[in-house]
Amino acid sequence: SLGNMFTGYLSAGGLFDTRNTALQSQLTDLSKQEDTLNTRMNDLTALYTKQYNALDTLMAQMSSTSAFLTNQFDSNSNKSSS
């Protein structure tokens, strides 16, 4: 009767126990996925930071080269027109 029905739901291996085990398994899997994604995100952040810093350094060098060349062309232009 009613007692037997509750026993089926609440006993070890019953409906609630089985559902709880399945949910715990899903929680464990999701936690592992979260850890994997966090590791990947940290790796990508480090990679992008390294690439950005390299690009920033290159842009500074290009700017310096541009200023030097502009100065040289201006200097040659002034000598030619004199």
Side-chain angles (χ1 to χ4, degrees):
S1 58
L2 191 59
N4 290 337
M5 185 176 76
F6 282 130
T7 301
Y9 285 118
L10 300 175
S11 64
L15 180 65
F16 289 134
D17 186 48
T18 303
R19 184 67 179 142
N20 186 48
T21 301
L23 289 172
Q24 288 297 329
S25 178
Q26 286 179 341
L27 185 61
T28 300
D29 290 343
L30 288 172
S31 180
K32 288 177 184 177
Q33 288 178 20
E34 180 184 22
D35 291 343
T36 301
L37 287 173
N38 282 333
T39 299
R40 184 166 184 255
M41 186 171 55
N42 289 336
D43 291 347
L44 285 173
T45 299
L47 173 66
Y48 293 152
T49 300
K50 182 180 176 182
Q51 289 177 341
Y52 175 82
N53 288 335
L55 178 61
D56 193 44
T57 299
L58 182 60
M59 292 298 290
Q61 291 171 351
M62 297 287 286
S63 179
S64 176
T65 301
S66 174
F68 172 77
L69 290 173
T70 299
N71 188 32
Q72 292 299 308
F73 289 134
D74 287 347
S75 177
N76 286 337
S77 177
N78 289 338
K79 287 180 184 177
S80 300
S81 61
S82 298

